[in-house]
Amino acid sequence: MKALVLSGGTGSRLRPITHTAAKQLVPVANKPVLFYGIESLVTAGITEIGIVVGDTAAEIEEAVGDGSRFGARVTYLRQEQPLGLAHAVLIARDWLGDDDFVMYLGDNFIVGGIAGPVAGFRRDRPDAAILLTKVADPALFGVAELGPDGRVVSLEEKPAHPRSDLALVGVYLFTPAVHDAVRAIRPSARGELEITDALQWLIDRGHALHASTVTGYWKDTGNVIDMLEVNRSVLEGVDGRVEGAVDADSELVGRVRVEEGAEIVRSRIVGPAVIGAGTVVRDAYIGPSTSVAEDCVIDSSEVEFSIVLTGSHIDRAGRIEGSLIGRTVHVTGAPRAPRAHRLVLGDHSSVHLTS
């Protein structure tokens, strides 16, 4: 069994971060989202992995390499334009051959991995299998409609009027039967070859499609809010350890990981939190659900529920929360402008003015 990992999208919902970086490489708890997916595949026993890449191919290839660090063998498959998930299957046809395969969206995150669904697919071997989860806004996803017997009767990509609240999770399992489907369908109104159309083609022709519901944590990390939520979730499982230097005037509360070469000076860090290698935190507060990458400086500032990427410098910036700070960013507090208060006060007034 092989795996086809999709990493060719433009990441428009994560701009401006993705103007200069692949969305699949934005880190969660200081590790790229894509790496979690590759590790899930290897844990499920799949080590032959094809990664579909686009404009950010060089960056992804540099980060992942030949896959040996994960215990896998990686092949890169170029997709000149992001023309849909089914198009990715189409361009990977020669590499996939006649093997069964998992298609995994590289910006998806599933707590607990996919070993269970992969084992079930290998055991039962339907023509295709999908994972579903209930979502608040199904119009943003591919949506499945189930019949009274629990079988999938229809699928639609980002419908204006969803027929259910069951969204397709970004993990699909296929036998070679899907190749006939992706060749047969035509581009949607969005100009893409939709995998939902290919799945519908299989259903309409009597092919077996199994669906199971994901009950654990799943996120499409395509926007900042979801990225921060995934970061929070992963940090909940972080073990506290100190490999860097923490001075006597600093305090670590809860699960805090201080990586090698990091320095904590006169600061308070409340976990779960990760401080990357070579980072300096000085006269600062780092709050829960925060990941600070390597070689950053956080000075005289407060940062909470945020992700700070490599080489960034936050100095006298007051309080920052719910933020995604890119690479080599400088955030500096501006000098306070003088202010004048104009008052008309009655007798016996009491007024408190902020400085």
Side-chain angles (χ1 to χ4, degrees):
M1 195 171 191
K2 293 179 178 177
L4 190 64
V5 178
L6 274 54
S7 298
T10 59
S12 58
R13 291 180 293 156
L14 273 175
R15 290 173 182 163
I17 298 294
T18 49
H19 280 310
T20 54
K23 65 176 180 177
Q24 298 85 5
L25 296 181
V26 176
V28 166
N30 287 1
K31 182 165 68 176
V33 171
L34 177 60
F35 288 12
Y36 291 96
I38 294 174
E39 290 169 356
S40 291
L41 291 165
V42 172
T43 299
I46 303 170
T47 57
E48 191 75 14
I49 298 174
I51 300 183
V52 177
V53 293
D55 292 342
T56 57
E59 186 181 6
I60 289 173
E61 290 182 31
E62 182 180 0
V64 177
D66 64 1
S68 57
R69 63 184 291 188
F70 304 98
R73 183 167 63 178
V74 169
T75 300
Y76 295 95
L77 306 166
R78 182 76 187 205
Q79 186 182 32
E80 295 302 328
Q81 297 181 58
L83 297 177
L85 305 189
H87 181 260
V89 176
L90 201 62
I91 63 112
R93 178 67 179 93
D94 290 343
W95 180 79
L96 289 167
D98 291 326
D99 292 314
D100 295 349
F101 67 98
V102 177
M103 185 168 70
Y104 194 112
L105 274 57
D107 59 355
N108 274 227
F109 188 92
I110 302 175
V111 171
I114 61 169
V118 169
F121 181 82
R122 283 174 159 153
R123 180 187 65 245
D124 302 331
R125 203 167 181 266
D127 295 302
I130 58 175
L131 305 183
L132 304 173
T133 190
K134 290 189 175 184
V135 295
D137 191 356
L140 299 175
F141 304 92
V143 175
E145 180 185 10
L146 304 184
D149 59 358
R151 294 184 181 181
V152 179
V153 295
S154 71
L155 299 117
E156 191 175 3
E157 188 65 30
K158 297 180 174 62
H161 304 287
R163 298 177 184 176
S164 81
D165 60 356
L166 291 172
L168 278 74
V169 172
V171 177
Y172 308 80
L173 301 101
F174 294 112
T175 67
V178 73
H179 296 302
D180 290 334
V182 298
R183 283 196 302 268
I185 62 174
R186 295 292 177 263
S188 66
R190 303 193 308 153
E192 298 187 5
L193 290 176
E194 310 286 5
I195 200 65
T196 45
D197 289 345
L199 289 163
Q200 188 68 54
W201 188 94
L202 291 171
I203 292 171
D204 293 344
R205 283 152 186 81
H207 290 275
L209 171 63
H210 286 191
S212 57
T213 302
V214 174
T215 55
Y217 186 86
W218 164 79
K219 280 288 184 183
D220 168 4
T221 59
N223 61 52
V224 173
I225 293 174
D226 286 342
M227 182 68 71
L228 293 173
E229 275 298 313
V230 170
N231 189 62
R232 180 197 59 75
S233 177
V234 173
L235 287 175
E236 289 295 334
V238 164
D239 293 328
R241 69 173 188 267
V242 176
E243 297 176 346
V246 180
D247 76 355
D249 295 321
S250 295
E251 181 183 17
L252 307 185
V253 180
R255 297 186 308 281
V256 177
R257 188 171 77 209
V258 180
E259 296 179 348
E260 186 175 358
E263 296 180 48
I264 313 300
V265 181
R266 297 185 301 276
S267 297
R268 188 170 192 259
I269 302 177
V270 178
V274 175
I275 309 300
T279 285
V280 176
V281 179
R282 182 188 304 113
D283 298 317
Y285 166 78
I286 305 295
S289 304
T290 301
S291 298
V292 182
E294 64 273 13
D295 300 321
C296 295
V297 176
I298 313 294
D299 196 341
S300 305
S301 305
E302 298 183 1
V303 183
E304 185 168 316
F305 187 51
S306 295
I307 299 173
V308 182
L309 303 190
T310 304
S312 289
H313 192 143
I314 299 174
D315 182 21
R316 293 171 286 110
R319 183 176 179 84
I320 293 173
E321 61 182 30
S323 300
L324 175 55
I325 309 295
R327 296 172 177 84
T328 323
V329 169
H330 286 251
V331 181
T332 305
R336 181 168 300 204
R339 295 186 301 178
H341 301 284
R342 184 179 180 184
L343 307 173
V344 178
L345 303 175
D347 295 345
H348 312 297
S349 296
S350 177
V351 178
H352 297 275
L353 301 176
T354 59
S355 57

